[in-house]
Amino acid sequence: MDRIINYGIIGCGMMGHEHMRNIALLDGARVAAIYEPDEIMANAAKAIEPNAALCNSLEDLLDRDDLDCLLVVSPNHMHVPQLEVIAARNPLPLLMEKPLFTDPADEEKLLAFKESYPAPIWVAMEYRYMPSIQTFVEEVQKATGGVKMLTIREHRFPFLQKVGNWNRFNKNSGGTLVEKCCHFFDLMRLIIGSDPVRIMASAGQEVNHLDENYDGEMSDIWDTAYVIVDFENGARGMLELCMYAEGSTFQEEISAVGPEGKIEALVPGPGRFWPTHLGEPPVSQVIISPRSPKGPQTVEVPVDPTILDAGDHNGSTFYQHVKFLEVVRGNGTPEVTLMDGVHAVKMGLLAQDSAVEGVVKIF
């Protein structure tokens, strides 16, 4: 058996706990050390992995000699400063939660960082690894004959409470189209296989957070958006986001259409939010609808219940870690690169600028 891979986790709030539950399901991996400055979250992390050491600072964690890789799950605006410390002090293989950055000024830093960091960096884009979306990606070219139109709809619950309410403010999160939607811009590039050229958006704060005041500062995070993206290869993508639609059967609905037909992926939200009086939670589906002969073909894509219960992302966090662990062991390279992370954030930032300014933005 391969030796045990020791993770060090930097920032361990709600999403960090999900990562920990999934790492616990891996063969040959464990969380060895955690840096989480919030006492409540640190104690909750310790309850998940009692043998993990709680470190007093980022530097204390990085100075340990028993770590094989790092996982950064801190608030968004802390990612780049922490990356700089990691690079200078202990540049281990790194799984970096999205979004990679929040400030447009940091893009140049990351481009330089890409050339100098000596170990693999994998940007955590969990939505790629939802089993139904993986099936969708595998079948999309055959089902469509080449994607011409791609639509991603997320109808979901409002932003959850996070430590210190950091996610209530654009200055910390990067804005909804970065924080939430970089996943979808990443999927657009992956599915279409091309880079964007033009982005146009309409978005705002319509229902949620309107009366939320934290230490005299009003929440400015958006809950509503339409984004249209033109790609170099002529395909078009559209995102529809609504964060006050948790009554839906499915949380994500993705469709791609081309000259040969259409393919859809339908993904439910977190099972823990599904009302018990409605029975069992829905199961993900993939639907292929050829133009000829007509007749939709629907396949359910279930997820192992143990893996499903370990997080809120339809099993994707586990499957992402399986592949990242192989990279840490020296088998292969990251599937989601630093440049993938940069592009996804840049698309979100331009979409937000488009919505504010009312103009088309050039990528």
Side-chain angles (χ1 to χ4, degrees), residues 16-294:
H17 295 164
E18 176 170 325
H19 279 287
M20 290 186 68
R21 291 191 296 271
N22 282 277
I23 292 168
L25 298 176
L26 297 170
D27 290 329
R30 72 182 188 99
V31 176
I34 299 163
Y35 168 55
E36 171 48 63
D38 182 83
E39 184 177 358
I40 293 174
M41 287 298 179
N43 288 336
K46 187 74 171 174
I48 296 171
E49 178 46 86
N51 293 321
L54 293 180
C55 301
N56 293 321
S57 68
L58 172 59
E59 289 77 10
D60 285 346
L61 183 141
L62 294 175
D63 287 347
R64 295 177 64 94
D65 61 5
D66 61 341
L67 300 181
D68 299 293
C69 62
L70 301 172
L71 166 62
V72 174
V73 207
S74 53
N76 302 353
H77 63 291
M78 301 176 70
H79 289 176
V80 171
Q82 289 177 337
L83 278 170
E84 291 176 323
V85 176
I86 292 167
R89 203 168 188 111
N90 194 1
L92 293 169
L94 178 61
L95 180 60
M96 184 77 218
E97 257 300 343
K98 63 80 197 169
L100 191 55
F101 65 106
T102 59
D103 184 344
D106 284 336
E107 182 179 350
E108 289 301 318
K109 291 182 184 178
L110 287 162
L111 295 179
F113 187 83
K114 169 181 174 289
E115 300 302 324
S116 61
Y117 198 81
I121 300 175
W122 183 307
V123 180
M125 291 292 188
E126 284 86 12
Y127 282 56
R128 286 193 183 201
Y129 298 97
M130 293 178 176
S132 55
I133 292 180
Q134 288 205 302
T135 300
F136 179 101
V137 171
E138 290 168 1
E139 299 294 332
V140 66
Q141 293 302 318
K142 180 181 177 182
T144 63
V147 179
K148 297 298 183 183
M149 299 179 69
L150 174 67
T151 302
I152 300 177
R153 170 189 288 171
E154 182 173 67
H155 282 192
R156 56 161 282 167
F157 51 92
F159 281 116
L160 299 174
Q161 294 291 133
K162 297 294 181 75
V163 173
N165 299 300
W166 67 264
N167 65 337
R168 280 354 195 213
F169 300 100
N170 292 332
K171 65 183 181 182
N172 299 328
S173 71
T176 297
L177 299 186
V178 171
E179 150 57 29
K180 178 91 263 317
C181 300
C182 64
H183 278 303
F184 305 126
F185 298 131
D186 176 65
L187 285 178
M188 285 184 183
R189 291 183 62 246
L190 176 68
I191 293 165
I192 291 174
S194 182
D195 284 327
V197 292
R198 287 179 296 275
I199 298 176
M200 179 174 67
S202 176
Q205 185 189 63
E206 303 296 341
V207 175
N208 302 330
H209 321 303
L210 296 174
D211 300 319
E212 293 185 14
N213 185 303
Y214 303 95
D215 298 323
E217 190 173 1
M218 297 299 297
S219 170
D220 60 357
I221 203 74
W222 294 349
D223 58 9
T224 303
Y226 287 109
V227 182
I228 297 173
V229 185
D230 291 340
F231 286 84
E232 287 178 350
N233 67 358
R236 294 177 175 87
M238 187 182 81
L239 168 68
E240 176 187 330
L241 175 72
C242 179
M243 299 190 68
Y244 40 92
E246 61 266 42
S248 307
T249 300
F250 294 103
Q251 182 168 288
E252 286 85 30
E253 301 178 22
I254 303 177
S255 70
V257 186
E260 300 297 325
K262 172 181 174 181
I263 183 171
E264 300 166 87
L266 309 179
V267 186
R272 64 190 175 105
F273 294 155
W274 186 254
T276 55
H277 72 272
L278 295 178
E280 291 297 313
V283 176
S284 293
Q285 299 178 7
V286 173
I287 306 166
I288 296 177
S289 304
R291 295 180 70 188
S292 179
K294 292 181 180 179

